Amino acid sequence: MSTSTATARVAPEYLSGAAAARQNTRQPARPPLRVPRPRLRVVPAPRRSRTGLALLCVGLLGAGLLALLLLNISIGKGAYELTGLQQKQRELADQQQSLTEQVESQGAPGKLAGKAKKLGMVPAPNPAFLDPDNGSVKGEPEAATSPASAEPAR
């Protein structure tokens, strides 16, 4: 690549004497500047070892297996705990059923009458009922008398 400068030439009849003389004189051409180019050479491709990638893959695989093992252990613990809680629930359900049966047997009419007799209670001969809507009494209430007081004294 050369660097040359182009100058415009004007016809000599239009120029003054000194300018015409300057235009006719030619300046010597400068030699072009040469910049040394670097020498190009073939560079071998960098060698990357694949051990880093292999170690990364093995590490990720190991971490995944470890995570699965911990998850499996956690699930196993939860299963044992669940089994224990279910057995405890069955025992408590059996205990509740036993207690319910005891309460029902103690509330049977025959047992209640026997307990009431032991306490000295007597059945009312003529029961009366209250109507909660209007507060009226249905029936004729009578005082209950004990069998011992109903018998004549000797």
Side-chain angles (χ1 to χ4, degrees):
M1 204 162 44
S2 66
T3 56
S4 63
T5 54
T7 56
R9 292 190 174 242
V10 180
E13 53 268 5
Y14 295 113
L15 293 175
S16 66
R22 254 187 285 139
Q23 187 177 7
N24 285 337
T25 63
R26 236 185 140 140
Q27 295 182 357
R30 288 189 212 158
L33 283 176
R34 287 206 160 192
V35 177
R37 282 200 270 164
R39 288 188 57 133
L40 299 179
R41 60 186 170 94
V42 177
V43 178
R47 292 188 138 239
R48 291 186 179 174
S49 68
R50 295 188 178 160
T51 57
L53 179 63
L55 288 176
L56 177 68
C57 289
V58 169
L60 287 176
L61 182 65
L65 288 175
L66 183 64
L68 283 175
L69 179 66
L70 292 175
L71 182 65
N72 195 7
I73 289 171
S74 173
I75 289 173
K77 282 182 182 178
Y80 282 120
E81 187 177 336
L82 179 65
T83 303
L85 290 174
Q86 285 174 341
Q87 183 166 352
K88 189 171 184 177
Q89 181 186 13
R90 281 192 295 271
E91 290 172 2
L92 290 174
D94 290 344
Q95 184 180 5
Q96 179 185 10
Q97 184 178 0
S98 171
L99 291 173
T100 304
E101 288 174 2
Q102 285 178 5
V103 167
E104 286 176 359
S105 70
Q106 295 294 324
K111 282 212 173 194
L112 285 177
K115 287 181 181 180
K117 255 187 188 174
K118 283 182 186 177
L119 292 173
M121 299 174 86
V122 292
N126 192 10
F129 299 98
L130 293 175
D131 187 8
D133 292 334
N134 56 15
S136 63
V137 177
K138 294 184 181 182
E140 291 291 323
E142 285 182 32
T145 58
S146 67
S149 66
E151 293 179 8
R154 294 186 197 171

